[in-house]
Amino acid sequence: MRFRVKIFLTACLLFVFSAARAAEKETYRWQATLTGGLYLNNEQAWQLEPAVTWNFHKLLGVGLGVELSGQYNQPSRLTVIDGREAVLTSNERDVAWIMLKPMLVIKSPEIWKTADRFYRLWVQAEPGLSLGCPFHNSLTYEIKEYSGAIGHTVDYRKFPNQGLRWFYWNARASVNLAIDRFIIGAGYYVSNLDYYSGRRNVTLANGEKFHVPKKEISQSVFLSVGYTF
């Protein structure tokens, strides 16, 4: 009887040991990533994107990110309304977007790794879609009245935008270095996002359209940090 118990306990210990070794070799399927970058052609605009990826194959995965993007340090925009000077309200001077971004993740085989795979290097591409919504799809002006050199707001006027585009494609290419379960990356991003779609067709009080840059492909460079689990 004692012999059978010893055999049973030994078998249990071997099973636990084998399970522990298998867990050490487990491929983590999920990855959380935070990406930050700067647009190269949209007048001082930043982008920040948290995302989650499910790697259903060692070279393939699908993910979902939420990009927040906005300009900064944009100048005041002046016009004339009812014979008075009017200035764009401060909270609407910078274009800003929020975008839901489903993506496909395509990884290359590892191009470099250490013997224990603690360090690994590869490149990857992430084609995807951007479902975007600007924070403002209209423009609000403050109408000013002056007493000497001092001006104060006497009224507000809102001008709606027409023809908002919200559906775009995007693609990202990056080089990635894994340090155990942490991943550091850097790369290039391109999209047909019309950054000024939320104000491209605003007609002001004088009958002129609000001036925005011409449409062009949006490009950015970025850094990322991730963790697999």
Side-chain angles (χ1 to χ4, degrees), residues 9-32:
L9 291 176
T10 301
C12 288
L13 288 173
L14 288 173
F15 175 79
V16 171
F17 178 76
S18 299
R21 293 292 294 174
E24 289 179 0
K25 297 180 180 180
E26 180 183 359
T27 300
Y28 296 100
R29 297 290 186 179
W30 293 89
Q31 178 178 325

Short mmCIF file of all heavy atoms in Angstrom, two decimals, residues 9-32:
data_model
loop_
_atom_site.label_atom_id
_atom_site.label_comp_id
_atom_site.label_asym_id
_atom_site.label_seq_id
_atom_site.Cartn_x
_atom_site.Cartn_y
_atom_site.Cartn_z
N LEU A 9 2.52 9.60 -5.50
CA LEU A 9 3.09 10.90 -5.18
C LEU A 9 4.20 11.28 -6.16
O LEU A 9 4.32 12.43 -6.58
CB LEU A 9 3.62 10.90 -3.74
CG LEU A 9 2.56 10.81 -2.64
CD1 LEU A 9 3.23 10.71 -1.27
CD2 LEU A 9 1.65 12.04 -2.69
N THR A 10 5.00 10.27 -6.52
CA THR A 10 6.07 10.53 -7.48
C THR A 10 5.49 10.95 -8.83
O THR A 10 5.97 11.89 -9.49
CB THR A 10 6.94 9.28 -7.67
OG1 THR A 10 7.51 8.91 -6.41
CG2 THR A 10 8.07 9.53 -8.66
N ALA A 11 4.42 10.26 -9.25
CA ALA A 11 3.77 10.60 -10.52
C ALA A 11 3.20 12.02 -10.47
O ALA A 11 3.29 12.79 -11.44
CB ALA A 11 2.67 9.59 -10.84
N CYS A 12 2.61 12.41 -9.33
CA CYS A 12 2.06 13.76 -9.17
C CYS A 12 3.16 14.81 -9.26
O CYS A 12 3.00 15.86 -9.91
CB CYS A 12 1.32 13.88 -7.85
SG CYS A 12 -0.25 12.98 -7.82
N LEU A 13 4.29 14.54 -8.61
CA LEU A 13 5.41 15.48 -8.66
C LEU A 13 5.95 15.63 -10.07
O LEU A 13 6.26 16.74 -10.53
CB LEU A 13 6.52 15.02 -7.71
CG LEU A 13 6.21 15.16 -6.21
CD1 LEU A 13 7.32 14.52 -5.38
CD2 LEU A 13 6.06 16.64 -5.84
N LEU A 14 6.06 14.51 -10.79
CA LEU A 14 6.53 14.57 -12.18
C LEU A 14 5.56 15.37 -13.05
O LEU A 14 5.97 16.14 -13.93
CB LEU A 14 6.69 13.15 -12.73
CG LEU A 14 7.87 12.35 -12.18
CD1 LEU A 14 7.82 10.91 -12.69
CD2 LEU A 14 9.19 13.01 -12.58
N PHE A 15 4.25 15.17 -12.81
CA PHE A 15 3.25 15.92 -13.57
C PHE A 15 3.36 17.41 -13.31
O PHE A 15 3.33 18.24 -14.24
CB PHE A 15 1.85 15.42 -13.20
CG PHE A 15 0.75 16.21 -13.84
CD1 PHE A 15 0.41 15.99 -15.17
CD2 PHE A 15 0.08 17.19 -13.14
CE1 PHE A 15 -0.61 16.73 -15.77
CE2 PHE A 15 -0.92 17.93 -13.73
CZ PHE A 15 -1.26 17.70 -15.05
N VAL A 16 3.49 17.80 -12.03
CA VAL A 16 3.60 19.23 -11.69
C VAL A 16 4.86 19.82 -12.29
O VAL A 16 4.85 20.93 -12.83
CB VAL A 16 3.60 19.40 -10.15
CG1 VAL A 16 3.94 20.84 -9.77
CG2 VAL A 16 2.25 19.01 -9.58
N PHE A 17 5.97 19.06 -12.23
CA PHE A 17 7.23 19.55 -12.80
C PHE A 17 7.10 19.75 -14.31
O PHE A 17 7.53 20.75 -14.87
CB PHE A 17 8.36 18.57 -12.47
CG PHE A 17 9.68 18.97 -13.05
CD1 PHE A 17 10.42 20.00 -12.46
CD2 PHE A 17 10.18 18.33 -14.18
CE1 PHE A 17 11.65 20.37 -13.00
CE2 PHE A 17 11.40 18.70 -14.71
CZ PHE A 17 12.15 19.72 -14.12
N SER A 18 6.49 18.77 -14.98
CA SER A 18 6.31 18.86 -16.44
C SER A 18 5.41 20.04 -16.81
O SER A 18 5.67 20.75 -17.79
CB SER A 18 5.72 17.56 -16.98
OG SER A 18 6.57 16.48 -16.72
N ALA A 19 4.35 20.24 -16.02
CA ALA A 19 3.44 21.36 -16.30
C ALA A 19 4.15 22.69 -16.12
O ALA A 19 3.95 23.64 -16.88
CB ALA A 19 2.23 21.28 -15.37
N ALA A 20 5.01 22.76 -15.08
CA ALA A 20 5.75 24.00 -14.84
C ALA A 20 6.71 24.29 -15.98
O ALA A 20 6.85 25.43 -16.43
CB ALA A 20 6.50 23.91 -13.51
N ARG A 21 7.39 23.25 -16.48
CA ARG A 21 8.30 23.44 -17.61
C ARG A 21 7.55 23.86 -18.86
O ARG A 21 8.01 24.72 -19.62
CB ARG A 21 9.05 22.13 -17.88
CG ARG A 21 10.01 21.71 -16.79
CD ARG A 21 11.19 22.64 -16.68
NE ARG A 21 12.01 22.54 -17.89
CZ ARG A 21 13.05 23.33 -18.13
NH1 ARG A 21 13.37 24.28 -17.26
NH2 ARG A 21 13.77 23.18 -19.23
N ALA A 22 6.38 23.27 -19.07
CA ALA A 22 5.58 23.65 -20.24
C ALA A 22 5.12 25.09 -20.14
O ALA A 22 5.08 25.82 -21.12
CB ALA A 22 4.38 22.71 -20.37
N ALA A 23 4.76 25.54 -18.93
CA ALA A 23 4.32 26.92 -18.73
C ALA A 23 5.43 27.90 -19.04
O ALA A 23 5.20 28.99 -19.57
CB ALA A 23 3.82 27.10 -17.30
N GLU A 24 6.68 27.49 -18.71
CA GLU A 24 7.81 28.37 -18.99
C GLU A 24 7.99 28.57 -20.49
O GLU A 24 8.43 29.62 -20.94
CB GLU A 24 9.09 27.78 -18.40
CG GLU A 24 9.15 27.84 -16.87
CD GLU A 24 10.43 27.24 -16.33
OE1 GLU A 24 11.26 26.77 -17.15
OE2 GLU A 24 10.60 27.23 -15.12
N LYS A 25 7.64 27.54 -21.27
CA LYS A 25 7.82 27.62 -22.72
C LYS A 25 6.57 28.15 -23.43
O LYS A 25 6.53 28.23 -24.64
CB LYS A 25 8.17 26.23 -23.26
CG LYS A 25 9.49 25.70 -22.73
CD LYS A 25 9.78 24.32 -23.30
CE LYS A 25 11.11 23.77 -22.76
NZ LYS A 25 11.41 22.42 -23.31
N GLU A 26 5.56 28.49 -22.68
CA GLU A 26 4.29 28.93 -23.28
C GLU A 26 4.47 30.21 -24.08
O GLU A 26 5.20 31.11 -23.67
CB GLU A 26 3.27 29.16 -22.17
CG GLU A 26 1.91 29.62 -22.71
CD GLU A 26 0.94 29.91 -21.58
OE1 GLU A 26 1.32 29.73 -20.42
OE2 GLU A 26 -0.18 30.32 -21.89
N THR A 27 3.85 30.25 -25.22
CA THR A 27 3.85 31.47 -26.02
C THR A 27 2.69 32.35 -25.58
O THR A 27 1.54 31.94 -25.62
CB THR A 27 3.70 31.13 -27.52
OG1 THR A 27 4.78 30.30 -27.91
CG2 THR A 27 3.70 32.40 -28.35
N TYR A 28 3.01 33.55 -25.17
CA TYR A 28 1.96 34.47 -24.72
C TYR A 28 1.23 35.02 -25.93
O TYR A 28 1.83 35.61 -26.83
CB TYR A 28 2.58 35.58 -23.87
CG TYR A 28 3.21 35.05 -22.60
CD1 TYR A 28 4.58 34.86 -22.52
CD2 TYR A 28 2.43 34.73 -21.50
CE1 TYR A 28 5.16 34.36 -21.37
CE2 TYR A 28 2.99 34.23 -20.34
CZ TYR A 28 4.36 34.04 -20.28
OH TYR A 28 4.92 33.53 -19.13
N ARG A 29 -0.07 34.86 -25.95
CA ARG A 29 -0.87 35.18 -27.13
C ARG A 29 -1.31 36.64 -27.18
O ARG A 29 -1.64 37.15 -28.24
CB ARG A 29 -2.11 34.27 -27.16
CG ARG A 29 -1.79 32.78 -27.30
CD ARG A 29 -1.27 32.46 -28.67
NE ARG A 29 -1.09 31.02 -28.86
CZ ARG A 29 -0.66 30.49 -30.00
NH1 ARG A 29 -0.37 31.27 -31.02
NH2 ARG A 29 -0.50 29.19 -30.11
N TRP A 30 -1.38 37.31 -26.04
CA TRP A 30 -1.91 38.67 -26.00
C TRP A 30 -0.80 39.69 -25.79
O TRP A 30 0.21 39.40 -25.14
CB TRP A 30 -2.93 38.80 -24.88
CG TRP A 30 -4.17 38.00 -25.13
CD1 TRP A 30 -4.40 36.70 -24.77
CD2 TRP A 30 -5.35 38.44 -25.80
NE1 TRP A 30 -5.64 36.29 -25.18
CE2 TRP A 30 -6.26 37.35 -25.82
CE3 TRP A 30 -5.73 39.64 -26.39
CZ2 TRP A 30 -7.52 37.44 -26.40
CZ3 TRP A 30 -6.99 39.72 -26.97
CH2 TRP A 30 -7.86 38.63 -26.97
N GLN A 31 -1.00 40.86 -26.35
CA GLN A 31 -0.01 41.93 -26.19
C GLN A 31 -0.72 43.27 -26.02
O GLN A 31 -1.62 43.61 -26.80
CB GLN A 31 0.92 42.00 -27.40
CG GLN A 31 1.95 43.12 -27.33
CD GLN A 31 2.88 43.12 -28.53
OE1 GLN A 31 3.23 42.06 -29.06
NE2 GLN A 31 3.29 44.30 -28.97
N ALA A 32 -0.33 44.01 -25.01
CA ALA A 32 -0.82 45.38 -24.81
C ALA A 32 0.30 46.33 -25.22
O ALA A 32 1.46 46.14 -24.83
CB ALA A 32 -1.20 45.60 -23.35
#
